[in-house]
Amino acid sequence: MFANLTSTLDFHSNALVLRAERQRVIASNIANADTPGYAGRDINFKEALTAANGAAPASSAPRQATGSGNPRHIPLQASTTSLDATALRYTTQSQPAMDGNSVDMDRERANFVDNSVRYEATLRFINGQSKTLLSAIQGQ
């Protein structure tokens, strides 16, 4: 019964971890905006959150749960982190740069602010649910 009460908190805690990881990736892109040949990276948040919550991603091709395409392949070890390497993708280059850098600073700034707002919203959800559970436990 307690697991049913905290399942929503698990969802939001996974989302919070992924938002923090996405913030780190975007900050890395911004830090390497002047690095020649650097390819920007980003997280497909929807697929990563679906994978973190234990469901198979809806948009991916049918794959084995082990990450291999063939049942005869040796299964991969489970990752201890919440974000596996398949969730991290290269960003599309909107304007080609002479040095091969694919980071668009305007897009990265917008993604950084958007992710920050969503991170804050997730924190508020967790805080609100925690207060609701606490008031229910205390009988207020």
Side-chain angles (χ1 to χ4, degrees), residues 14 17-18 21 51-52 76-85:
N14 287 337
V17 168
L18 289 173
E21 183 66 21
L76 300 173
Q77 297 295 323
S79 174
T80 56
T81 61
S82 62
L83 183 66
D84 60 352

Side-chain angles (χ1 to χ4, degrees), residues 41-54:
R41 308 289 303 253
D42 201 359
I43 295 172
N44 187 338
F45 186 79
K46 182 179 178 182
E47 288 182 9
L49 185 60
T50 303
N53 288 324

Side-chain angles (χ1 to χ4, degrees), residues 12 15-17 19-20 23 112-128:
H12 287 297
L16 193 66
V17 168
R19 289 278 173 217
Q23 201 75 355
F112 192 86
V113 170
D114 178 66
N115 197 53
S116 297
V117 169
R118 293 175 190 265
Y119 183 89
E120 180 71 24
T122 305
L123 273 177
R124 288 179 188 259
F125 280 125
I126 291 173
N127 192 20

Side-chain angles (χ1 to χ4, degrees), residues 15-91:
L16 193 66
V17 168
L18 289 173
R19 289 278 173 217
E21 183 66 21
R22 185 167 188 238
Q23 201 75 355
R24 187 190 64 77
V25 170
I26 293 170
S28 175
N29 288 344
I30 291 172
N32 288 298
D34 294 330
T35 304
Y38 181 80
R41 308 289 303 253
D42 201 359
I43 295 172
N44 187 338
F45 186 79
K46 182 179 178 182
E47 288 182 9
L49 185 60
T50 303
N53 288 324
S59 63
S60 65
R63 294 175 35 174
Q64 302 292 323
T66 60
S68 66
N70 190 325
R72 294 181 291 173
H73 291 171
I74 298 172
L76 300 173
Q77 297 295 323
S79 174
T80 56
T81 61
S82 62
L83 183 66
D84 60 352
T86 59
L88 201 58
R89 306 227 168 121
Y90 290 102
T91 59

